[in-house]
Amino acid sequence: MLYGIINLTRMEVGMARKRMSDPKAAALAETRTLNPRPEAVRDEEFGSSEFFDARDLVQVKYEMVRRVRVDGAPVTASAAAFGFSRPSYYEAATVVDRDGLGGLVPAKPGPRRAHKLTDEVVAFARSAREADPSMTAAQLATAIAEKFAVSVHPRSVERALARAHNPKSGGAQ
């Protein structure tokens, strides 16, 4: 049975490429606003209008909030029609009140700063480098791991030292 898994995998990869060939879906994915569950949106207007797009997460959440506030739809019914839970509705409504429509755009994932490299750790790395200017970033990362039990990448140490040396280039922590 040579047709097996290799050909099935090729078919799946081919199908995945076709799905993302839609420029709007690609743009939504790039901005992190592609709705991961567009099939869960059961609202009539999203099914009958070309303007509404269930793949657009921001549009779906905004319309869910608007449906309750402007049209007077019950929260439970509106949340269900748009593929969300009641807590998700309240979270979206709070975000719209606090930040406006732009608040519905998901934040970038991951840490916002070098959270392992605290001021104390950077001060230690600076003093170690001053004591021995030939210390490499890898050696500094090893010394930091031994002293603070924190694993950091040597490049992160280099960036932290550069920020500490010239705070205006990347901002102080």
Side-chain angles (χ1 to χ4, degrees), residues 63-79 89:
E63 196 56 30
M64 173 180 64
V65 172
R66 192 201 67 74
R67 193 67 47 84
V68 170
R69 292 184 174 174
V70 176
D71 296 347
V75 171
T76 303
S78 182
Y89 164 81

Side-chain angles (χ1 to χ4, degrees), residues 14-33:
M15 286 190 285
R17 284 187 191 139
K18 286 180 185 176
R19 270 188 246 136
M20 289 310 285
S21 67
D22 178 15
K24 182 170 183 182
L28 290 170
E30 186 176 318
T31 59
R32 299 172 319 281
T33 57

Side-chain angles (χ1 to χ4, degrees), residues 31-34 57-58 61 102-109:
T31 59
R32 299 172 319 281
T33 57
L34 182 63
L57 184 62
V58 173
K61 285 185 175 183
L104 293 175
V105 176
K108 289 182 180 178

Side-chain angles (χ1 to χ4, degrees), residues 2 6 20 24 32 34 39 43-44 86 92 98 100 103 107 118 123 125 130-131 139 159 165:
L2 291 174
I6 294 173
M20 289 310 285
K24 182 170 183 182
R32 299 172 319 281
L34 182 63
E39 70 283 351
D43 181 72
E44 290 176 16
R86 283 180 55 246
R98 185 185 63 225
T118 62
E130 287 171 4
Q139 291 169 329
R159 286 193 301 264
H165 179 69

Side-chain angles (χ1 to χ4, degrees), residues 3 23 30 39 53 73 123 125 136:
Y3 189 75
E30 186 176 318
E39 70 283 351
D53 188 349
T136 66

